[in-house]
Amino acid sequence: MPFSLLKYGLTNDYPFEDNMDLPLPMELKDNYDVVIIGGGGHGVATAYYLAKYHGITNVAILEKGYLGGGNTARNTAVIRSNYLTSEGVKFYSESVKLFQNLSNEFDFNIMYSSRGQLTLAHTDGAVRSFRQRTEVNKHFGGRTELIDPQQIQELVPTLNMNPANMPILAGLWHIDGATARHDAVAWGYAKGATQRGVELHQLTEVTNINTVKGKVVSVETNRGTVGCGCVVQAVAGHSSIVAAMAGFRMPLTSYPLQAMVTTPVKPFLDPLVSSSALHCYVQQTGRGEIVFGGGSDPYPLYNTRSTLELKESLIASAIEMFPFMANFKLLRQWAGTTDMTSDYSPIMGLSPVDGYYLDAGWGTWGFKATPICGKTMAQLVASGGKVPELIAPFAMERFDAFRQVNEMGATAASH
Amino acid sequence: MVDSNRLAAPMGSLIARDNPITFEFEGKSYTGFAGDTVVSALIANQQWLLSRSFKYHRPRGPLTMAGQDANTLVQLPDEANVLADKVDIEQAIRVMGQNYSGTLANDKDALLEKVGRFMPVGFYYRAFYKPKGIWDKWEPIIRNKAGLGQANLKFKPEYYDKAYLFCDLIVVGAGPAGLSAALTAARQGAEVLLVDENKQVGGALTYHRFDTAGEVADNLLDALKAQVDGMANIRVLTDAICNGWFADNYLPVITGQRMYKVRAKQCIVAAGEFEQHVVFRNNDLPGIVLCSAAMRLMKHYAVKPGNRAVILTGNDDGYLTAIELAKQAVNVVAIVDMRPAQADTQLGSELIKTLQSLGIEIIYNATVYEAQAKQNHLAAVEIYELDREVKISQHISRIECDLLCVSSGYMPTYQLLCQAGAQLTYDDASARFSLNGLPENLHIAGSVNGIHALDKVLEDGANAAQQCLVKLGLADVVNQQVECDIETNFAWPIFPHPQGKDFVDFDEDLQVKDIINSTRLGYRDIQLVKRFSTVGMGPSQGRHSALATARLVAHATGRTVSETGVTTARPPFIPEKLAYLAGRIFNPVRHTPMHYRHQSLDAQFMPAGAWLRPAYYGVPEQKEMLIQQEALAVRNGVGIIDVSTLGGIEVNGPDAAEFLNRIYTYAFIKQPIGKTRYAVLTNEQGVVVDDGVACRIADEHFYVTATTTGVDAVYREMKKWNAQWRLDVDIANVTSAFAAVNVAGPLARKVLEKVCIDVDFSQQAFPYLAYREGHIDDMPVRLLRVGFVGELGYEIHMPTLFALNIWDRLMQAGQEFAMRPFGVEAQRLLRLEKGHIIIGQDTDGMSHPGELSLTWAIAKSKPFYVGCRSVDIVMRRPQTRKLVGFKLDKSNPKPEEGHLVLDKAGADANITGNVTSCHYSTTLDAYIGLAYVGIEQQTVGSHFPIRVDGKAVLSEVVSLPFYDANGERQEVN
């Protein structure tokens, strides 16, 4: 047993007064230097880095629900950097590096688990694309290999090598692929941020955003209006809606994304396995549950309902990959809303409104970017609007300028 | 076999005593009867211990006997996490407990409980990460302790299927409310589907005691059953669980090895309630069951649940259970009633008198404070007086017993309804939840609606049916709402025991302090409490923990239960086997009409969308040689390739040319009849997404080809655009209606002239890019003179029906010219030599026409085509990359498709592009390929580096095509 647990057993007054992870609810102040709309992983991470690296602590995080209750709670916690574009690989690689150190930085175990991610190719087109991703990853120092069917079988002996009559031709083996306890990431950041003076306001919904001469000045909420020096919008799934309050449109379409989980069984699957052709990925959590995910729903919607159709098709694919799972029991199905861009890359940086910074368009790939997104958004805010080089390619204006960062093939159904 | 403790008939409505069945549990043989579940048969044999709990490995016995708790999860040889109180012994011949090491009775991991105090709620967030990297060591150990059952990794899926059902009304739950609703609706002519997860209809009527004498339920059930049997328009599905609610009453009903997908105009959920447990120390011991579970054991399975019983209750149902137990010769020592002493109960003095006559003591205003165990089973309970202020006061007595039946109240079966968007609201006075905000066409009736008196339940069912009938147009008057004043719930105090083990959530071994400490750590929202403590995350999804958790959190955070609420209900209702969802394995594969000809020619197939296409013909060991031979046959003689998978779209109507003009980049208005034109499709971003050939068959009739994998999307886009444009055209995807082959090579004309005698194939009469129609043996064919592979060639499109015959005729005619079938691989090489791109291989999500040197295929003068604005903007911007042809000597390592193009050799190189196609060409005796290069690298004759296996290989930019630059071979001859 680790020493750190002894103290809990030897005292009767756990939890200790000074050991709270999250502060008690408090009143809203009239004014903040920075207002962050959205208390998900990205929002609290931005607050954390603002407080930690830039000494900016007069910050309020406004969350309409509970901490990390949106897509932070709903995603399937895949961490990877095996993208296709140079811009994407550089950005996500930095995120993976930050993730690896988070538990010790937070003093809070996010259970970062470097299990590796395997993506399967069933067509020679996929093999071509995987080879390119392998090469781009290696170019930037990532650990990714193109492996053959025999290596795949050794890595995942339980995998059906001919699922749905589509033999597996090759695999993209991303050794840096990982998972972590997604909630804990938000909690760790929130804990670190609030301990440094940042205010976290849950059940606080932004209802309007006020600008004067093109600059954001205050934010109206269900608990009153607060003035602000600047605003960071980090509201995955509702980016267009909140941006509309600030008076501009975003090139986003919002689709539900569903996932599901089984009852727990003893561990048998280490890597995260996804199939490009079957639009299905499978992983086993630390609790022993099997998590399934796939592509976004085919039509745009803000409702996070579940559908039977998606469950049927996704599970049919999963059973093709792992036939013995036919006897597993599906426990729960849920959905989040994904703000999709046309090039499958995020939108970060400046907006048409002065002092209003965007962290949006995270589609199905937001969780894995949490640390680096928070870090770079904090730099952006602290510098008063100087866009860090790492996120410059993701500016919203790229859609006007036809400078898209196309990650389409590297994103679909592998998140 | 141990001496059975079976009761005499009429107990045991589900078992067939004349059909004994032997099964194994934990390697030991037991006998039960047909109809027994694993649990009932084991308890009949005095075996209560079924499994071990998730975290502390505490002994687990049944709680609900209704498949609604995770206590009974057992292991079958091929299946983990099976509900032993739902699975019949006939289907479970070999059963094992779960989650123990050593033996089930002596689980070595039960030690974990002893160190439980070192594992506070969320302990894993607070340890195992210092020093950095140590989690990698701890994680596998913790993972191995987690999980429940073992998967059989060799298991082969069995046959499952799906079926659709449609009805006017589905009634979920065939208890008294459901039966009454079904009858009411059916009498007015509605088509009714009545489903119940139990094996018999009747719900609580099959096990609950509604009156002192115990006669009401049986009589009523017999009457209702007889009426339902008499209605032809009621279809009854028992042993069938409605496992979710999806939009517009789309309901999966699982039964046997089938999932019915039901679409119902109206839906009534009459699914009853979940009886609730009480929180006290060791409340999870085997031998402690809900009152309804004890009743089910007796009435359904004729199993005597114990010998010395105590009842702990907050309502009259506990009293009725006591009577039944006593009648079945169980010694009921006491009823512990958590309510204050009352003059009489709601059922009146008759009930009290009966209990007195049975010699059962009633202790009011008291609770079980602690249960004690002997050999993994309940042995005694400590009774304390309740005090409203300090929670408990005096010790009253210690009672030795082997059975404790508990009923603190009920929680409505809210799952389907909350999935449908209903909200649970809590009333502090009655201490119960009710459901509000149901969507249209969804109704509730009976106890799920808070109605408990039997006559009122029947009335409520009829009322709900009446509402449906009005909606269905079969009635026009809605009845008055039913009121019922029976109190079932009691807001009994929940308080921690100083020594803990007072479990709120059995699935996850969570105690009172775990819930409270979560809130004290700052996780105050009920959802955060769930996520931090894992309460409600287990297999039973909080059915028996939600109420207690809500009350604990409300109290700890100074809010009301209505304010804290409960966590979201998501489908499914109970854990469902994946096999039901997957259904029959159904993976359609598309074959061209000539598929079996290819097979007999030893074709090696490759997937192309859902199609299978010959990649090459011959053995895989000779793949490369065969590809080269096939390609050479086309270059030097004649070859034939099956291109049936190409998409085919017919565009008919006065606006056909205008429509194509808007969809594709080229000009089509003035395209002559009998001519073909290259058709490039860009999307709104200006990216090239498909290509094909448009043939003008008549003034108002075009036949357009599209790529194999792209045609469905192209067709969809066409329909979408014309929904806006409203042009007068008819668009049809005829891909399956037409098959096609391409006969190519210098001798192609000779082959065709032999079989297609009504067409003049001479260069003058049928020039390059012309379109003709003719016949092969009276079978109509469409002929396109095209040049993808760079030789004289004809695409022959024909009705699928005739394709096999035409193929045979062509093969026969080609014999004297040594015509050879060639596959996709050879075609790829041939088109590469000719410098033709393949959409999807040589293009990516950013490729615009300029990068691909396709600007010639854009009509400059026309006002519009899809994507034109973007193409114009992109073309005006500085270009960053270009798709070029490259060539390198075969002595170099071969660049593979996907390899990177660099700006310079050396360690500090930057990526400027990538290889999209590369092949060895026998004709050119070199590696040739296509690659995106930086815009400054495109000069013909210059060299650029490709990183091949880590090394930079210099390749020369050459002009396209590599072969027959002037097009003499395909066009002039």
Side-chain angles (χ1 to χ4, degrees):
Chain A
M1 177 184 302
F3 177 73
S4 49
L5 288 180
L6 283 178
K7 63 184 176 208
Y8 300 112
L10 302 177
T11 175
N12 280 327
D13 58 354
Y14 172 84
F16 321 114
E17 280 302 313
D18 60 352
N19 201 30
M20 284 188 79
D21 292 340
L22 305 170
L24 291 169
M26 62 187 90
E27 292 301 311
L28 273 176
K29 292 195 296 193
D30 292 339
N31 239 294
Y32 296 91
D33 293 340
V34 183
V35 163
I36 296 172
I37 307 175
H42 284 214
V44 290
T46 303
Y48 171 87
Y49 290 108
L50 274 173
K52 186 174 178 188
Y53 291 149
H54 307 284
I56 299 172
T57 57
N58 185 20
V59 177
I61 303 164
L62 309 182
E63 167 55 51
K64 74 169 174 181
Y66 63 97
L67 167 65
N71 287 353
T72 302
R74 294 154 205 262
N75 78 87
T76 50
V78 177
I79 298 167
R80 66 185 178 94
S81 62
N82 58 347
Y83 282 76
L84 180 65
T85 66
S86 300
E87 296 89 340
V89 172
K90 275 194 268 190
F91 179 76
Y92 291 105
S93 299
E94 280 305 309
S95 209
V96 171
K97 278 182 214 157
L98 289 172
F99 259 123
Q100 288 166 347
N101 202 34
L102 276 191
S103 295
N104 296 81
E105 189 174 335
F106 289 160
D107 201 11
F108 192 84
N109 192 354
I110 65 157
M111 292 175 243
Y112 184 86
S113 176
S114 206
R115 305 241 208 104
Q117 192 213 20
L118 176 65
T119 314
L120 307 171
H122 308 265
T123 63
D124 53 356
V127 176
R128 270 193 297 277
S129 158
F130 286 6
R131 187 179 292 114
Q132 187 178 346
R133 285 166 67 183
T134 304
E135 294 291 323
V136 176
N137 276 232
K138 282 182 176 168
H139 182 85
F140 293 105
R143 294 188 298 164
T144 304
E145 302 287 342
L146 188 67
I147 62 175
D148 64 28
Q150 197 187 331
Q151 291 168 298
I152 293 170
Q153 194 74 92
E154 282 164 16
L155 207 55
V156 189
T158 52
L159 181 65
N160 172 21
M161 296 301 287
N162 185 16
N165 302 319
M166 288 191 291
I168 295 167
L169 304 180
L172 185 68
W173 174 227
H174 183 43
I175 300 158
D176 294 325
T179 181
R181 181 86 177 91
H182 49 343
D183 295 324
V185 174
W187 301 339
Y189 275 121
K191 183 179 179 184
T194 52
Q195 279 173 353
R196 288 172 173 83
V198 168
E199 291 179 11
L200 169 65
H201 294 281
Q202 302 178 74
L203 300 172
T204 306
E205 182 171 5
V206 171
T207 53
N208 201 13
I209 294 159
N210 301 314
T211 58
V212 171
K213 290 181 188 162
K215 185 181 185 324
V216 65
V217 291
S218 63
V219 169
E220 294 173 22
T221 78
N222 59 338
R223 297 172 56 205
T225 301
V226 289
C228 55
C230 66
V231 168
V232 176
Q233 177 194 312
V235 292
H238 295 80
S239 301
S240 311
I241 296 169
V242 176
M245 293 182 199
F248 60 93
R249 294 181 67 194
M250 295 194 73
L252 297 170
T253 317
S254 301
Y255 296 89
L257 175 68
Q258 305 188 47
M260 40 210 77
V261 67
T262 68
T263 58
V265 294
K266 295 292 177 191
F268 68 89
L269 180 65
D270 269 349
L272 293 67
V273 183
S274 71
S275 160
S276 53
L278 294 170
H279 299 288
C280 176
Y281 67 87
V282 180
Q283 70 174 97
Q284 188 170 25
T285 69
R287 284 164 54 86
E289 304 143 329
I290 310 297
V291 174
F292 304 107
S296 298
D297 282 11
Y299 48 89
L301 198 71
Y302 281 115
N303 188 344
T304 53
R305 86 286 178 265
S306 301
T307 65
L308 184 57
E309 291 84 351
L310 189 110
K311 179 156 68 171
E312 291 180 87
S313 63
L314 184 62
I315 296 303
S317 294
I319 296 303
E320 286 291 335
M321 292 163 70
F322 297 97
F324 60 90
M325 284 188 192
N327 268 350
F328 285 28
K329 312 282 191 306
L330 195 102
L331 177 64
R332 197 172 166 85
Q333 175 187 11
W334 68 94
T337 311
T338 60
D339 289 339
M340 301 299 294
T341 54
S342 60
D343 63 357
Y344 294 75
S345 284
I347 294 171
M348 298 177 73
L350 309 178
S351 78
V353 175
D354 238 15
Y356 194 89
Y357 304 115
L358 289 174
D359 169 16
W362 285 103
T364 64
W365 51 90
F367 172 71
K368 61 186 64 58
T370 305
I372 190 60
C373 177
K375 194 175 171 184
T376 48
M377 287 303 292
Q379 285 169 9
L380 175 68
V381 170
S383 68
K386 192 168 168 292
V387 181
E389 197 185 331
L390 203 57
I391 63 169
F394 305 121
M396 185 160 75
E397 63 177 10
R398 74 176 183 274
F399 296 100
D400 294 326
F402 287 86
R403 277 199 313 265
Q404 290 100 316
V405 183
N406 202 293
E407 292 288 5
M408 186 163 169
T411 303
S414 49
H415 307 303
Chain B
M1 186 173 143
V2 184
D3 194 15
S4 172
N5 54 347
R6 293 280 183 182
L7 305 168
M11 296 292 111
S13 58
L14 287 175
I15 56 166
R17 293 174 206 251
D18 53 352
N19 187 3
I21 287 172
T22 302
F23 69 106
E24 253 180 45
F25 179 71
E26 286 285 315
K28 200 174 148 197
S29 184
Y30 295 88
T31 302
F33 298 117
D36 257 325
T37 65
V38 169
V39 173
S40 63
L42 285 176
I43 293 179
N45 289 280
Q46 316 279 9
Q47 173 67 35
W48 277 74
L49 180 61
L50 297 170
S51 240
R52 290 283 175 167
S53 72
F54 188 71
K55 191 157 99 185
Y56 295 141
H57 290 248
R58 288 177 64 88
R60 283 287 178 256
L63 176 68
T64 63
M65 282 308 295
Q68 299 297 339
D69 59 288
N71 279 14
T72 67
L73 293 182
V74 293
Q75 175 89 48
L76 302 187
D78 291 331
E79 198 175 337
N81 307 338
V82 177
L83 290 164
D85 53 348
K86 286 302 273 188
V87 68
D88 288 355
I89 50 176
E90 290 132 295
Q91 281 131 36
I93 300 302
R94 272 191 303 132
V95 188
M96 297 292 283
Q98 285 189 165
N99 205 35
Y100 61 84
S101 81
T103 65
L104 180 60
N106 285 304
D107 180 2
K108 289 184 217 148
D109 285 345
L111 268 176
L112 282 168
E113 188 184 336
K114 301 276 181 279
V115 297
R117 62 183 286 116
F118 297 100
M119 298 191 288
V121 64
F123 70 94
Y124 29 78
Y125 297 119
R126 313 205 173 272
F128 309 112
Y129 56 93
K130 282 188 270 196
K132 196 184 167 196
I134 200 73
W135 173 246
D136 294 344
K137 306 274 187 301
W138 276 106
E139 194 205 3
I141 299 170
I142 293 175
R143 275 188 79 192
N144 272 314
K145 289 293 166 208
L148 286 170
Q150 295 274 0
N152 173 6
L153 305 177
K154 299 266 184 277
F155 174 70
K156 298 262 190 304
E158 295 159 338
Y159 181 90
Y160 280 74
D161 75 1
K162 295 176 186 172
Y164 289 96
L165 282 180
F166 301 89
C167 57
D168 291 329
L169 168 65
I170 183 171
V171 180
V172 179
L179 289 167
S180 163
L183 284 167
T184 307
R187 282 184 196 123
Q188 300 303 317
E191 290 293 326
V192 179
L193 180 65
L194 177 62
V195 302
D196 196 288
E197 62 168 314
N198 297 293
K199 286 182 206 158
Q200 49 191 351
V201 299
L205 295 175
T206 66
Y207 62 86
H208 191 67
R209 201 180 178 95
F210 288 86
D211 57 324
T212 312
E215 289 162 353
V216 170
D218 288 346
N219 295 340
L220 179 60
L221 180 55
D222 288 346
L224 290 171
K225 262 202 309 212
Q227 291 172 58
V228 167
D229 289 345
M231 300 298 299
N233 52 342
I234 299 180
R235 178 170 178 182
V236 182
L237 289 177
T238 50
D239 211 356
I241 188 154
C242 179
N243 217 23
W245 186 96
F246 295 96
D248 302 324
N249 289 339
Y250 190 41
L251 306 160
V253 175
I254 288 171
T255 182
Q257 307 225 60
R258 169 176 292 176
M259 180 168 82
Y260 285 107
K261 294 189 275 185
V262 180
R263 187 69 82 170
K265 291 178 189 162
Q266 298 291 320
C267 175
I268 296 174
V269 173
E273 298 188 289
F274 295 121
E275 199 166 29
Q276 296 292 303
H277 201 359
V278 175
V279 178
F280 53 86
R281 179 169 164 82
N282 293 329
N283 58 347
D284 62 337
L285 285 175
I288 302 178
V289 298
L290 299 178
C291 283
S292 54
M295 295 298 290
R296 285 175 198 259
L297 274 170
M298 292 185 285
K299 301 270 273 193
H300 290 168
Y301 304 107
V303 171
K304 190 177 171 186
N307 293 311
R308 266 179 77 82
V310 172
I311 310 285
L312 172 62
T313 189
N315 55 49
D316 289 352
D317 293 339
Y319 287 59
L320 293 159
T321 304
I323 295 173
E324 190 67 57
L325 286 166
K327 300 246 178 211
Q328 300 303 329
V330 177
N331 178 10
V332 182
V333 189
I335 294 174
V336 180
D337 193 331
M338 296 183 287
R339 296 173 294 185
Q342 294 165 328
D344 53 13
T345 68
Q346 288 173 332
L347 276 179
S349 53
E350 190 198 338
L351 183 58
I352 304 296
K353 245 183 268 167
T354 310
L355 290 164
Q356 278 165 351
S357 70
L358 291 165
I360 299 171
E361 184 194 0
I362 305 171
I363 310 171
Y364 289 109
N365 197 32
T367 191
V368 171
Y369 185 50
E370 175 178 346
Q372 291 154 2
K374 203 188 281 174
Q375 291 169 341
N376 295 324
H377 194 88
L378 175 71
V381 291
E382 296 280 2
I383 316 291
Y384 275 71
E385 193 179 327
L386 273 171
D387 183 301
R388 295 303 135 207
E389 299 304 318
V390 298
K391 312 295 189 192
I392 56 158
S393 56
Q394 287 188 357
H395 181 239
I396 295 173
S397 62
R398 178 177 186 275
I399 304 176
E400 294 197 355
C401 58
D402 62 355
L403 176 68
L404 174 66
C405 302
V406 185
S407 180
S408 67
Y410 298 88
M411 179 130 183
T413 307
Y414 59 90
Q415 284 78 0
L416 294 183
L417 303 159
C418 288
Q419 288 165 26
Q423 290 92 41
L424 276 173
T425 46
Y426 187 79
D427 176 47
D428 286 293
S430 65
R432 52 168 291 127
F433 281 103
S434 57
L435 285 146
N436 304 93
L438 292 167
E440 222 184 338
N441 306 325
L442 177 59
H443 317 264
I444 53 177
S447 59
V448 69
N449 195 25
I451 310 292
H452 294 89
L454 204 43
D455 53 337
K456 302 280 185 187
V457 165
L458 296 174
E459 198 184 330
D460 198 40
N463 271 8
Q466 188 70 20
Q467 286 178 34
C468 296
L469 289 167
V470 170
K471 295 251 184 163
L472 290 166
L474 298 171
D476 39 36
V477 188
V478 177
N479 299 339
Q480 270 214 316
Q481 219 175 325
V482 179
E483 302 290 339
C484 176
D485 59 0
I486 289 191
E487 283 175 19
T488 55
N489 281 32
F490 176 61
W492 81 100
I494 306 176
F495 45 86
H497 190 286
Q499 288 159 282
K501 305 293 177 278
D502 39 12
F503 291 99
V504 175
D505 187 323
F506 291 6
D507 296 20
E508 304 278 323
D509 287 323
L510 291 166
Q511 310 159 60
V512 171
K513 67 177 177 192
D514 296 326
I515 307 298
I516 294 173
N517 285 346
S518 299
T519 65
R520 289 177 62 189
L521 284 164
Y523 303 93
R524 296 163 57 88
D525 192 290
I526 194 91
Q527 304 278 3
L528 286 174
V529 171
K530 171 184 173 177
R531 289 176 172 276
F532 186 73
S533 69
T534 72
V535 66
M537 277 196 197
S540 68
Q541 294 280 285
R543 282 165 175 57
H544 299 95
S545 62
L547 179 56
T549 304
R551 288 183 50 197
L552 283 167
V553 172
H555 186 258
T557 58
R559 289 175 290 176
T560 66
V561 171
S562 286
E563 284 169 328
T564 54
V566 297
T567 58
T568 319
R570 308 259 189 206
F573 175 53
I574 61 158
E576 60 199 0
K577 235 191 244 192
L578 301 192
Y580 285 111
L581 300 166
R584 224 176 326 167
I585 301 295
F586 178 64
N587 296 299
V589 176
R590 299 179 80 175
H591 290 170
T592 74
M594 293 78 97
H595 183 80
Y596 296 99
R597 293 291 188 269
H598 303 316
Q599 224 168 34
S600 57
L601 290 165
D602 294 332
Q604 302 297 321
F605 290 96
M606 61 187 281
W611 297 96
L612 283 180
R613 300 193 67 185
Y616 57 93
Y617 295 83
V619 292
E621 293 73 30
Q622 297 177 338
K623 175 181 176 184
E624 195 50 42
M625 190 191 82
L626 292 164
I627 293 168
Q628 296 292 341
Q629 283 176 357
E630 288 173 15
L632 285 175
V634 175
R635 289 274 175 261
N636 301 327
V638 60
I640 181 169
I641 180 169
D642 181 354
V643 293
S644 302
T645 64
L646 272 184
I649 295 171
E650 292 260 324
V651 181
N652 272 292
D655 292 333
E658 172 64 19
F659 178 73
L660 289 192
N661 220 41
R662 294 191 195 184
I663 288 283
Y664 290 105
T665 59
Y666 218 2
F668 297 93
I669 301 283
K670 293 179 188 160
Q671 178 179 351
I673 294 164
K675 280 284 188 190
T676 65
R677 271 187 186 171
Y678 185 48
V680 174
L681 184 73
T682 53
N683 65 15
E684 284 181 283
Q685 284 80 44
V687 174
V688 176
V689 289
D690 206 77
D691 69 352
V693 169
C695 315
R696 192 162 202 171
I697 293 174
D699 191 38
E700 299 181 356
H701 181 194
F702 286 81
Y703 175 63
V704 196
T705 65
T707 62
T708 298
T709 50
V711 62
D712 291 335
V714 171
Y715 177 64
R716 199 167 57 229
E717 283 297 297
M718 285 180 168
K719 299 288 273 190
K720 189 189 88 180
W721 282 114
N722 205 43
Q724 298 178 40
W725 298 339
R726 304 291 183 97
L727 292 177
D728 190 2
V729 287
D730 180 57
I731 311 156
N733 184 348
V734 295
T735 302
S736 300
F738 283 89
V741 295
N742 184 11
V743 178
L747 303 177
R749 183 178 289 127
K750 291 194 185 307
V751 176
L752 282 172
E753 279 171 345
K754 281 189 70 174
V755 293
C756 186
I757 48 178
D758 58 350
V759 172
D760 180 353
F761 284 92
S762 68
Q763 169 70 12
Q764 295 73 23
F766 194 168
Y768 184 56
L769 296 183
Y771 168 87
R772 296 290 178 268
E773 289 175 2
H775 293 82
I776 294 178
D777 293 351
D778 295 333
M779 296 176 282
V781 291
R782 292 173 169 183
L783 300 158
L784 287 63
R785 189 169 161 195
V786 291
F788 191 49
V789 297
E791 301 291 340
L792 171 68
Y794 303 89
E795 263 182 30
I796 306 165
H797 292 246
M798 55 248 177
T800 299
L801 183 63
F802 305 133
L804 187 58
N805 283 325
I806 292 176
W807 169 272
D808 287 344
R809 276 293 279 133
L810 287 166
M811 289 298 283
Q812 187 191 13
Q815 254 175 13
E816 68 178 277
F817 309 104
M819 183 172 75
R820 181 169 179 155
F822 64 102
V824 175
E825 294 284 5
Q827 180 183 244
R828 283 179 179 172
L829 168 58
L830 290 163
R831 66 87 204 180
L832 177 60
E833 289 173 345
K834 194 61 192 161
H836 288 301
I837 60 164
I838 295 177
I839 306 291
Q841 173 166 350
D842 301 304
T843 65
D844 57 32
M846 296 288 282
S847 307
H848 63 74
E851 292 176 343
L852 304 170
S853 309
L854 284 180
T855 42
W856 63 268
I858 298 174
K860 304 288 182 295
S861 54
K862 69 180 181 181
F864 173 82
Y865 60 90
V866 175
C868 67
R869 177 180 168 274
S870 297
V871 170
D872 287 347
I873 294 171
V874 172
M875 294 299 293
R876 278 201 300 273
R877 286 173 43 84
Q879 303 297 297
T880 56
R881 63 173 190 170
K882 186 91 178 172
L883 188 73
V884 299
F886 70 87
K887 186 170 164 181
L888 76 167
D889 192 82
K890 63 181 177 183
S891 61
N892 291 292
K894 176 175 177 276
E896 298 289 344
E897 294 155 357
H899 277 155
L900 300 181
V901 173
L902 306 171
D903 61 348
K904 54 179 172 285
D908 58 343
N910 295 307
I911 301 168
T912 57
N914 56 284
V915 175
T916 62
S917 293
C918 185
H919 217 294
Y920 171 73
S921 162
T922 305
T923 307
L924 299 156
D925 192 26
Y927 291 130
I928 58 169
L930 297 172
Y932 287 98
V933 299
I935 198 71
E936 65 290 343
Q937 293 175 304
Q938 63 168 325
T939 316
V940 171
S942 69
H943 289 76
F944 64 89
I946 298 171
R947 185 182 281 149
V948 182
D949 298 330
K951 288 195 199 68
V953 175
L954 280 183
S955 305
E956 183 190 348
V957 180
V958 297
S959 62
L960 293 173
F962 297 96
Y963 172 76
D964 186 27
N966 298 324
E968 285 159 5
R969 298 183 65 93
Q970 70 181 12
E971 295 165 31
V972 185
N973 292 317

